[in-house]
Amino acid sequence: MSDPRDELVNHLGAMRAFAISLTRNTAMADDLVQDTLVKAWTNIEKFEEGSNMRAWLFTILRNTYYSLRRKRRREVEDADGVLSEQLSQKPDHDGRLNLRDFNAAFAQLNDEQREALVLVGAGGFSYEEAAETCGVKVGTIKSRVNRGRARLAELMNLDEDEPMELTDTVTAGIVSQQSVA
């Protein structure tokens, strides 16, 4: 009694041709043949001695092809990860917790610092416009903004190089160092 595994190699050419006809791509066909051979090898005990090995292999190959095709229909090709980066989202609760901490810290600032941060950071005013609005010198506004940001960072236990992830642009504008001149 011979081992049916010895017969597998006799059908490689025909299996590859069949796989190419299904996939229309030689690389995918080769992968399909390899998957088929692995399945046949690991399930050789299911092959009935005396039955048609070629038909058995072609059935495995065909079923494997259609299974992969169904699976790929549900998947999106994203080799470089660009699409998945756009789909990912930080949990909402992180933003709410950060915003809660920010609001608590912001409430502890003095009125002048809050006013300066809101005008320059959130309102998008230039230092000159904010100074004119408040009736103070530009240097005074710059000082209030700088001290306010430093105090916020201290109250929120932020390191200088630690990024703060906030969910709303107003808060991010207040905390960001981008508008400091």
Side-chain angles (χ1 to χ4, degrees):
M1 197 164 136
S2 67
D3 187 354
R5 289 181 180 97
D6 296 337
E7 195 180 335
L8 292 176
V9 77
N10 297 336
H11 302 286
L12 287 177
M15 288 172 53
R16 188 168 190 269
F18 183 50
I20 290 172
S21 74
L22 290 174
T23 63
R24 294 183 210 105
N25 178 310
T26 57
M28 287 175 61
D30 289 341
D31 290 344
L32 185 57
V33 169
Q34 182 176 349
D35 290 346
T36 301
L37 289 172
V38 168
K39 288 179 181 181
W41 190 273
T42 56
N43 293 295
I44 201 70
E45 70 281 350
K46 294 179 182 176
F47 176 71
E48 295 178 19
E49 181 91 22
S51 62
N52 188 342
M53 172 68 78
R54 183 184 206 129
W56 187 66
L57 290 171
F58 275 52
T59 300
I60 294 171
L61 190 143
R62 181 182 172 280
N63 291 344
T64 301
Y65 169 73
Y66 284 115
S67 292
L68 289 172
R69 191 168 158 200
R70 279 189 302 273
K71 180 181 173 187
R72 287 193 177 125
R73 201 176 313 149
R74 293 184 304 265
E75 295 176 349
V76 175
E77 186 75 26
D78 188 26
D80 54 2
V82 171
L83 182 61
S84 61
E85 286 178 11
Q86 294 172 350
L87 297 175
S88 65
Q89 177 180 341
K90 283 191 65 65
D92 290 338
H93 68 304
D94 287 352
R96 283 195 296 269
L97 293 174
N98 284 338
L99 188 58
R100 185 194 67 198
D101 293 346
F102 169 80
N103 285 333
F106 194 69
Q108 293 182 47
L109 298 178
N110 66 42
D111 292 341
E112 291 82 15
Q113 290 173 345
R114 278 198 314 273
E115 178 183 55
L117 285 172
V118 168
L119 290 173
V120 174
F125 284 67
S126 68
Y127 287 111
E128 291 77 17
E129 293 168 330
E132 186 179 324
T133 300
C134 295
V136 297
K137 296 185 179 189
V138 174
T140 303
I141 287 293
K142 288 182 178 182
S143 176
R144 289 177 182 174
V145 167
N146 188 38
R147 287 187 182 136
R149 286 185 176 144
R151 181 72 178 133
L152 275 176
E154 176 187 326
L155 291 169
M156 295 177 71
N157 299 315
L158 296 176
D159 294 329
E160 276 187 38
D161 56 345
E162 180 182 353
M164 170 110 179
E165 296 181 20
L166 298 170
T167 56
D168 68 304
T169 55
V170 172
T171 306
I174 290 173
V175 176
S176 102
Q177 296 291 327
Q178 304 299 359
S179 58
V180 175

